[in-house]
Short mmCIF file of all heavy atoms in Angstrom, two decimals:
data_model
loop_
_atom_site.label_atom_id
_atom_site.label_comp_id
_atom_site.label_asym_id
_atom_site.label_seq_id
_atom_site.Cartn_x
_atom_site.Cartn_y
_atom_site.Cartn_z
N GLY O 1 -6.70 14.80 20.17
CA GLY O 1 -5.42 15.23 19.64
C GLY O 1 -4.45 15.38 20.78
O GLY O 1 -4.79 15.22 21.95
N GLN O 2 -3.24 15.68 20.43
CA GLN O 2 -2.18 15.66 21.42
C GLN O 2 -1.24 16.84 21.20
O GLN O 2 -1.15 17.37 20.11
CB GLN O 2 -1.41 14.35 21.25
CG GLN O 2 -0.71 13.89 22.48
CD GLN O 2 -0.15 12.48 22.27
OE1 GLN O 2 -0.86 11.58 21.88
NE2 GLN O 2 1.12 12.32 22.55
N LEU O 3 -0.56 17.19 22.25
CA LEU O 3 0.49 18.20 22.13
C LEU O 3 1.62 17.61 21.29
O LEU O 3 1.99 16.46 21.47
CB LEU O 3 1.02 18.57 23.51
CG LEU O 3 0.04 19.26 24.45
CD1 LEU O 3 0.61 19.32 25.86
CD2 LEU O 3 -0.25 20.66 23.95
N ASP O 4 2.18 18.42 20.40
CA ASP O 4 3.31 17.97 19.59
C ASP O 4 4.61 18.18 20.34
O ASP O 4 5.59 17.48 20.11
CB ASP O 4 3.36 18.75 18.28
CG ASP O 4 2.16 18.45 17.41
OD1 ASP O 4 1.76 17.27 17.33
OD2 ASP O 4 1.59 19.39 16.83
N LEU O 5 4.64 19.17 21.21
CA LEU O 5 5.85 19.47 21.95
C LEU O 5 5.48 19.83 23.38
O LEU O 5 4.53 20.58 23.60
CB LEU O 5 6.56 20.67 21.30
CG LEU O 5 7.82 21.17 22.00
CD1 LEU O 5 8.85 21.56 20.97
CD2 LEU O 5 7.51 22.34 22.91
N VAL O 6 6.19 19.26 24.33
CA VAL O 6 6.02 19.61 25.74
C VAL O 6 7.42 19.81 26.31
O VAL O 6 8.22 18.88 26.36
CB VAL O 6 5.29 18.51 26.55
CG1 VAL O 6 5.23 18.88 28.02
CG2 VAL O 6 3.90 18.27 26.00
N HIS O 7 7.70 21.04 26.72
CA HIS O 7 8.98 21.35 27.37
C HIS O 7 8.67 21.86 28.77
O HIS O 7 7.88 22.79 28.92
CB HIS O 7 9.75 22.42 26.58
CG HIS O 7 10.93 22.95 27.33
ND1 HIS O 7 12.13 22.27 27.40
CD2 HIS O 7 11.08 24.07 28.07
CE1 HIS O 7 12.96 22.97 28.17
NE2 HIS O 7 12.35 24.07 28.58
N VAL O 8 9.26 21.23 29.78
CA VAL O 8 9.04 21.62 31.17
C VAL O 8 10.40 21.75 31.86
O VAL O 8 11.13 20.77 31.98
CB VAL O 8 8.18 20.56 31.91
CG1 VAL O 8 8.12 20.86 33.40
CG2 VAL O 8 6.79 20.48 31.32
N ASP O 9 10.74 22.96 32.27
CA ASP O 9 11.94 23.20 33.09
C ASP O 9 11.42 23.51 34.48
O ASP O 9 11.19 24.67 34.83
CB ASP O 9 12.76 24.35 32.52
CG ASP O 9 14.03 24.63 33.32
OD1 ASP O 9 14.32 23.88 34.28
OD2 ASP O 9 14.73 25.60 32.98
N LEU O 10 11.19 22.45 35.27
CA LEU O 10 10.47 22.56 36.53
C LEU O 10 11.36 23.10 37.64
O LEU O 10 11.87 22.37 38.47
CB LEU O 10 9.87 21.20 36.92
CG LEU O 10 8.86 21.25 38.07
CD1 LEU O 10 7.66 22.10 37.69
CD2 LEU O 10 8.42 19.85 38.46
N ARG O 11 11.51 24.41 37.61
CA ARG O 11 12.20 25.15 38.68
C ARG O 11 11.67 26.56 38.63
O ARG O 11 11.18 27.01 37.59
CB ARG O 11 13.72 25.12 38.48
CG ARG O 11 14.17 25.74 37.20
CD ARG O 11 15.66 25.57 36.93
NE ARG O 11 15.95 26.09 35.59
CZ ARG O 11 16.19 27.36 35.31
NH1 ARG O 11 16.22 28.28 36.27
NH2 ARG O 11 16.42 27.75 34.08
N GLU O 12 11.71 27.24 39.77
CA GLU O 12 11.21 28.62 39.78
C GLU O 12 12.04 29.45 38.82
O GLU O 12 13.27 29.41 38.87
CB GLU O 12 11.19 29.15 41.21
CG GLU O 12 10.13 28.40 42.02
CD GLU O 12 9.95 28.89 43.45
OE1 GLU O 12 10.58 29.87 43.85
OE2 GLU O 12 9.13 28.26 44.16
N GLY O 13 11.38 30.13 37.90
CA GLY O 13 12.05 30.87 36.84
C GLY O 13 12.24 30.04 35.58
O GLY O 13 12.58 30.58 34.53
N GLY O 14 12.01 28.73 35.68
CA GLY O 14 12.16 27.84 34.51
C GLY O 14 11.02 28.02 33.54
O GLY O 14 9.89 28.32 33.92
N ALA O 15 11.32 27.84 32.27
CA ALA O 15 10.32 28.02 31.22
C ALA O 15 9.55 26.73 30.95
O ALA O 15 10.06 25.64 31.15
CB ALA O 15 11.01 28.48 29.93
N TRP O 16 8.32 26.90 30.49
CA TRP O 16 7.54 25.78 29.98
C TRP O 16 6.98 26.19 28.62
O TRP O 16 6.79 27.38 28.35
CB TRP O 16 6.41 25.37 30.96
CG TRP O 16 5.35 26.41 31.13
CD1 TRP O 16 5.35 27.44 32.02
CD2 TRP O 16 4.15 26.56 30.38
NE1 TRP O 16 4.22 28.21 31.87
CE2 TRP O 16 3.47 27.68 30.87
CE3 TRP O 16 3.57 25.83 29.33
CZ2 TRP O 16 2.24 28.11 30.36
CZ3 TRP O 16 2.36 26.26 28.80
CH2 TRP O 16 1.71 27.38 29.33
N ARG O 17 6.76 25.20 27.75
CA ARG O 17 6.25 25.49 26.41
C ARG O 17 5.53 24.26 25.87
O ARG O 17 6.08 23.16 25.92
CB ARG O 17 7.41 25.86 25.49
CG ARG O 17 6.98 26.50 24.22
CD ARG O 17 8.20 27.05 23.47
NE ARG O 17 8.10 26.61 22.10
CZ ARG O 17 9.01 25.90 21.46
NH1 ARG O 17 10.13 25.55 22.04
NH2 ARG O 17 8.81 25.52 20.22
N PHE O 18 4.31 24.46 25.41
CA PHE O 18 3.52 23.39 24.79
C PHE O 18 3.16 23.86 23.39
O PHE O 18 2.76 25.01 23.22
CB PHE O 18 2.21 23.12 25.54
CG PHE O 18 2.36 22.79 27.01
CD1 PHE O 18 1.26 22.87 27.83
CD2 PHE O 18 3.56 22.37 27.56
CE1 PHE O 18 1.35 22.56 29.19
CE2 PHE O 18 3.67 22.05 28.90
CZ PHE O 18 2.55 22.15 29.72
N ALA O 19 3.23 22.98 22.40
CA ALA O 19 2.87 23.36 21.03
C ALA O 19 1.92 22.33 20.42
O ALA O 19 2.08 21.13 20.64
CB ALA O 19 4.12 23.50 20.17
N TYR O 20 0.95 22.85 19.68
CA TYR O 20 -0.01 22.04 18.93
C TYR O 20 0.30 22.21 17.46
O TYR O 20 0.60 23.31 17.02
CB TYR O 20 -1.44 22.55 19.12
CG TYR O 20 -1.99 22.46 20.51
CD1 TYR O 20 -1.75 23.48 21.43
CD2 TYR O 20 -2.76 21.39 20.90
CE1 TYR O 20 -2.29 23.42 22.71
CE2 TYR O 20 -3.29 21.32 22.17
CZ TYR O 20 -3.06 22.33 23.07
OH TYR O 20 -3.58 22.27 24.32
N GLY O 21 0.16 21.15 16.68
CA GLY O 21 0.47 21.21 15.26
C GLY O 21 -0.48 22.04 14.45
O GLY O 21 -1.48 22.56 14.94
N MET O 22 -0.16 22.15 13.20
CA MET O 22 -0.95 22.93 12.26
C MET O 22 -2.36 22.39 12.13
O MET O 22 -2.58 21.21 12.00
CB MET O 22 -0.31 22.91 10.87
CG MET O 22 0.77 23.93 10.68
SD MET O 22 0.10 25.61 10.74
CE MET O 22 1.44 26.51 10.03
N LYS O 23 -3.31 23.31 12.15
CA LYS O 23 -4.71 22.98 11.91
C LYS O 23 -5.32 24.24 11.33
O LYS O 23 -5.11 25.33 11.85
CB LYS O 23 -5.38 22.60 13.23
CG LYS O 23 -6.80 22.11 13.06
CD LYS O 23 -7.38 21.69 14.41
CE LYS O 23 -8.87 21.94 14.37
NZ LYS O 23 -9.44 22.22 15.65
N ASP O 24 -6.03 24.11 10.26
CA ASP O 24 -6.64 25.27 9.60
C ASP O 24 -5.59 26.36 9.31
O ASP O 24 -5.87 27.55 9.47
CB ASP O 24 -7.78 25.86 10.45
CG ASP O 24 -8.85 24.83 10.77
OD1 ASP O 24 -9.10 23.97 9.91
OD2 ASP O 24 -9.41 24.88 11.88
N GLY O 25 -4.39 25.95 8.93
CA GLY O 25 -3.37 26.92 8.57
C GLY O 25 -2.72 27.65 9.72
O GLY O 25 -2.06 28.65 9.54
#
C-alpha cells in the first residue's frame, strides 16, 4: 500500500504530514 498524502516543508520548523487511507473504518 501507499501513502495517500505526503506533505514535506523541508526547513527547520517546517511541518511534515503523511496520511494513509481508510482501512477497517
Side-chain angles (χ1 to χ4, degrees):
Q2 205 172 308
L3 294 169
D4 295 318
L5 177 142
V6 176
H7 169 79
V8 172
D9 181 4
L10 192 61
R11 60 186 174 85
E12 292 183 4
W16 66 272
R17 195 170 132 238
F18 304 163
Y20 296 86
M22 276 294 196
K23 186 177 149 209
D24 303 325

